[in-house]
Amino acid sequence: MLKENFVEFIEKSIKSNWTIDALADYKGISYTYSDVARKISRLHIAFRLAGIKKGDKIALIGKNSASWGITFIAAVTYGAVIVPILPDFTVDDVHHIINHSDSKILFAGDSFYDVLDMKETPDLSVIFSLTDYNPLYTSDDSNLENIGEETDRLFNEQYGKEFGPDAFSVAKVGNAELAEISYTSGTSGFSKGVMLSHNSLIANIRYAHENMPLEPRDSIVSFLPLAHSYGCAFEFLFPFTLGCHITFLGKTPTPQIIMEAF
């Protein structure tokens, strides 16, 4: 059992690296650690409005991006369970994973939302755009049609212009709690959900801190699938806890694109 608490590790990194670059999209937007904190805090308010409780499942599908990473961190630091879905899964697989995991809300890249059939995912109360976090869909019985505006109002009411490191905090979540359900590629039928605890995530991060040659403020390019455990742990969570600047490729990693990104 490791002494470090995973969500506290995340919180400490954000506060310690407040003003430096954190996450970026290749040839796109870049966020500092303070920007990430602001978006996480806003998402936590949205989760509360959507009725999400500790241990509830939040599904996530989209290409690698800074907003994907922010959504992942927001979910696990809230005490929810993130359910990343590989973007190359068929739409039937996506419907199955959402239902099988008992996910209550979904974050989706716009192109992925366009192919979903809401009749196949009746338990989803709201689907958020992974581009701007605005709601793309709300169920008829959820009363969440104004969740975006209400989130903005409550964030401004709670923080106003006084959003600094001391204002940012996350929930206390034990390392034994479930953090993620990672679905396999389903070579023997429908994909299977592998349950990963906070202990599992922090164990990989601690290993990387002790054995992988990165330093705070280093810049890295991330292109392995974030919905896979290896890419998520070693190209995202580990460098994030170290205070690195991570650029997500978000494209097919051809040699030319990789060289340009570097």
Side-chain angles (χ1 to χ4, degrees):
M1 187 72 67
L2 294 165
K3 295 181 180 179
E4 293 90 345
N5 181 278
F6 175 63
V7 295
E8 290 175 354
F9 215 159
I10 293 287
E11 181 182 36
K12 180 180 178 181
S13 177
I14 290 173
K15 290 185 173 185
S16 300
N17 300 294
W18 193 255
T19 61
I20 67 174
D21 290 330
L23 306 177
D25 295 329
Y26 172 58
K27 292 188 175 179
I29 193 167
S30 182
Y31 300 102
T32 64
Y33 280 85
S34 62
D35 293 331
V36 172
R38 184 177 293 273
K39 288 185 175 294
I40 288 172
S41 296
R42 186 185 182 280
L43 286 174
H44 285 178
I45 293 172
F47 295 163
R48 290 197 296 273
L49 291 173
I52 298 298
K53 300 179 177 60
K54 182 179 179 181
D56 283 347
K57 316 305 190 301
I58 296 174
L60 166 62
I61 184 170
K63 296 179 180 178
N64 288 10
S65 66
S67 59
W68 194 105
I70 290 168
T71 303
F72 185 104
I73 294 173
V76 296
T77 56
Y78 184 81
V81 178
I82 193 71
V83 183
I85 303 173
L86 285 164
D88 55 356
F89 276 163
T90 68
V91 67
D92 288 340
D93 283 336
V94 174
H95 291 152
H96 167 74
I97 290 169
I98 291 170
N99 295 328
H100 183 264
S101 64
D102 296 322
S103 291
K104 300 206 171 168
I105 63 177
L106 168 69
F107 287 81
D110 294 352
S111 61
F112 298 97
Y113 169 73
D114 291 340
V115 301
L116 294 176
D117 184 349
M118 298 304 101
K119 296 191 297 293
E120 298 296 326
T121 55
D123 294 331
L124 284 180
S125 60
V126 58
I127 299 176
F128 292 99
S129 167
L130 199 53
T131 303
D132 55 18
Y133 300 127
N134 286 322
L136 297 170
Y137 159 86
T138 58
S139 63
D140 293 338
D141 59 353
S142 67
N143 297 316
L144 295 173
E145 60 272 10
N146 296 317
I147 189 172
E149 295 89 338
E150 186 65 5
T151 297
D152 289 337
R153 185 188 70 79
L154 290 174
F155 181 89
N156 292 331
E157 184 179 285
Q158 181 173 348
Y159 297 107
K161 296 180 180 179
E162 303 301 322
F163 189 79
D166 293 338
F168 177 70
S169 63
V170 299
K172 304 300 181 186
V173 185
N175 279 348
E177 299 294 330
L178 184 62
E180 176 182 356
I181 304 178
S182 179
Y183 279 82
T184 68
S185 55
T187 53
S188 59
F190 275 120
S191 56
K192 315 300 190 297
V194 179
M195 297 186 292
L196 303 177
S197 68
H198 286 251
N199 262 326
S200 176
L201 301 183
I202 193 66
N204 281 323
I205 291 169
R206 171 51 60 194
Y207 173 85
H209 272 265
E210 294 175 351
N211 294 280
M212 298 182 74
L214 279 179
E215 299 291 338
R217 295 179 180 263
D218 278 352
S219 294
I220 73 164
V221 174
S222 170
F223 62 84
L224 292 175
L226 291 175
H228 276 169
S229 297
Y230 187 93
C232 188
F234 298 112
E235 290 191 357
F236 168 43
L237 294 176
F238 156 55
F240 187 87
T241 61
L242 197 60
C244 294
H245 183 208
I246 307 160
T247 295
F248 298 105
L249 204 55
K251 297 183 177 183
T252 302
T254 64
Q256 179 180 352
I257 289 177
I258 290 175
M259 291 303 296
E260 288 176 357
F262 270 92

